Amino acid sequence: MPRTEVTEARRVVVKVGSSSLTTAAGGLDPARLSALVDVLAGLRQRGAEVVLVSSGAIAAGLAPLGLKRRPSGLAAQQAAAAVGQGLLIHRYTAELARHDIVAGQVLLTIDDVTRRAHHRNAHQTFVKLLELGVLPIVNENDTVATTEIRFGDNDRLAALVAHLVHADLLMLLSDVDGLYDGHPDDPGSTLVSEVAVDADLDGIRIGGSGAAGVGTGGMQTKVEAARIATGAGIPVVLTSAARAGQALTGEAVGTLFRPTGRKRPIRLLWLAHVTEAHGVLTLDPGAVRAVVERRASLLAAGVTGVSGRFVAGEPVDLADADGRVVARGLVNFDAAELPALLGRSSHDLGRDLGAGYGREVVHRDDLVLL
């Protein structure tokens, strides 16, 4: 039976990695890119809307700059991206024109999908492009993104874009044809055809970055991206670029990750899966119960300890007395302010220090359970 999650999808986000688009020397492989475009055009012909998240800008810029491998420094990566992004989008534009499809370039930073005003504008841009019949080609804006505000890899970017555009399906294309229970090259490893719940991943060895050395992802980031998307109600298919055509017709190739949750605000997805905590707030047992069981806001009265260096608006972990992290949230106070507030009621803080100090330490709308 074909996978109905695939065949019935009307809006599909497809992510392709650098290793699936480039030669061993690091330049774009015209044959691979052309084959991918043919698959996407076929998906469009059956009536589906398509958004492509494509890596490859940095890899495409290596050869023109005389670089033999992906540089480790951020400035050099940004220089390669500045050169390679134009080459990448030019090639896509030419290949899509063979099918009378117009390409549109969309370069995103983390702010574009997490800040409310930016998120709304980005969503409206995608909607209008799709209404006009354009195939958006998305990449991280590597040329200007700093280490602190990067998505980290295009797998997670694709998962967030899938949520942003209200996709029915996310397809992650790699140089490996699916998730295996061991290293794909080991004779005893077998393909995991379906993941319905996180427990299905127990005992599976998930490796790091790919062997090609031109990307930042790997199976670990793909599984994490699948968790982000499925946690928001979007099914995911993970397979190789070579088998994309089969996968998009619903054939049971690669690994299908079934949805595990419902759609939720994208900034909470970002908070749970993309951010790094700048500090830790230790909670008393009552506050842990309030946050975890009642999904309540965190008040100063329930905080017993503060560690780390952070300012208001930055992410912090919320932990119980044993140090077990139970949630992450955006804190409303600087680290230097909090020690004087601990254990005190909101009423007393508002009365003694002013109304601003009576507010929640972390509001429930800016908090996600881990």
Side-chain angles (χ1 to χ4, degrees):
M1 292 290 291
R3 289 170 169 166
T4 56
E5 296 90 346
V6 176
T7 57
E8 295 178 1
R10 300 271 62 86
R11 182 171 290 176
V12 181
V13 172
V14 177
K15 184 268 175 181
V16 63
S18 298
S19 60
S20 300
L21 295 174
T22 54
T23 65
L28 288 175
D29 186 326
R32 289 183 173 187
L33 193 144
S34 180
L36 173 64
V37 167
D38 289 344
V39 170
L40 300 181
L43 185 57
R44 284 267 301 235
Q45 287 174 358
R46 84 173 196 210
E49 296 175 325
V50 181
V51 176
L52 175 64
V53 178
S54 178
S55 301
I58 293 177
L62 299 184
L65 294 176
L67 301 173
K68 293 184 177 180
R69 62 182 62 189
R70 182 188 179 96
S72 57
L74 179 60
Q77 291 177 12
Q78 290 174 324
V83 173
Q85 184 63 37
L87 298 173
L88 183 67
I89 198 68
H90 172 74
R91 179 65 67 174
Y92 274 124
T93 299
E95 292 294 340
L96 285 166
R98 293 190 292 108
H99 300 277
D100 296 322
I101 298 174
V102 176
Q105 178 176 253
V106 181
L107 299 178
L108 297 175
T109 66
I110 195 73
D111 280 352
D112 296 319
V113 297
T114 56
R115 293 187 182 273
R116 192 165 299 172
H118 293 213
H119 169 274
R120 183 170 58 250
N121 183 64
H123 172 74
Q124 291 171 345
T125 298
F126 277 110
V127 168
K128 180 54 67 174
L129 286 170
L130 293 171
E131 283 180 359
L132 294 171
V134 174
L135 195 154
I137 301 172
V138 184
N139 199 357
E140 180 167 10
N141 196 346
D142 290 301
T143 303
V144 299
T146 64
T147 302
E148 291 78 12
I149 62 169
R150 302 189 75 180
F151 291 96
D153 60 80
N154 271 359
D155 295 312
R156 287 189 287 186
L157 169 60
L160 293 172
V161 167
H163 189 283
L164 174 68
V165 303
H166 304 165
D168 303 310
L169 175 72
L170 170 62
M171 179 160 289
L172 301 174
L173 301 179
S174 176
D175 50 359
V176 181
D177 62 351
L179 175 66
Y180 283 77
D181 58 6
H183 193 284
D185 293 335
D186 291 346
S189 296
T190 58
L191 179 72
V192 179
S193 62
E194 186 173 308
V195 175
V197 293
D198 274 351
D200 292 340
L201 298 172
D202 291 347
I204 295 177
R205 289 191 297 117
I206 300 173
S209 60
V214 294
T216 57
M219 194 54 65
Q220 189 169 5
T221 66
K222 288 168 178 55
V223 170
E224 179 62 21
R227 284 190 174 121
I228 296 172
T230 57
I234 302 168
V236 178
V237 173
L238 167 62
T239 191
S240 64
R243 307 196 76 175
Q246 295 169 271
L248 286 169
T249 59
E251 286 190 41
V253 299
T255 304
L256 170 65
F257 294 80
R258 295 192 178 277
T260 59
R262 297 180 178 178
K263 184 175 175 64
R264 57 177 172 165
I266 197 168
R267 61 199 182 94
L268 296 187
L269 291 175
W270 163 75
L271 188 60
H273 296 281
V274 182
T275 59
E276 292 185 6
H278 292 208
V280 178
L281 306 183
T282 303
L283 281 54
D284 65 29
V288 171
R289 288 193 298 273
V291 167
V292 174
E293 297 174 12
R294 302 205 311 272
R295 306 296 177 93
S297 299
L298 175 64
L299 306 179
V303 182
T304 60
V306 180
S307 64
R309 301 175 62 182
F310 52 84
V311 297
E314 291 185 332
V316 296
D317 282 341
L318 312 185
D320 62 18
D322 297 324
R324 183 175 65 92
V325 175
V326 298
R328 181 172 296 167
L330 302 179
V331 67
N332 284 325
F333 297 93
D334 297 350
E337 295 179 288
L338 277 172
L341 312 182
L342 303 189
R344 301 181 62 182
S345 72
S346 299
H347 178 269
D348 289 347
L349 289 171
R351 180 195 62 207
D352 297 343
L353 301 177
Y357 287 90
R359 68 188 186 278
E360 305 87 348
V361 174
V362 178
H363 193 277
R364 63 183 181 183
D365 291 343
D366 294 323
L367 186 152
V368 61
L369 300 183
L370 299 178

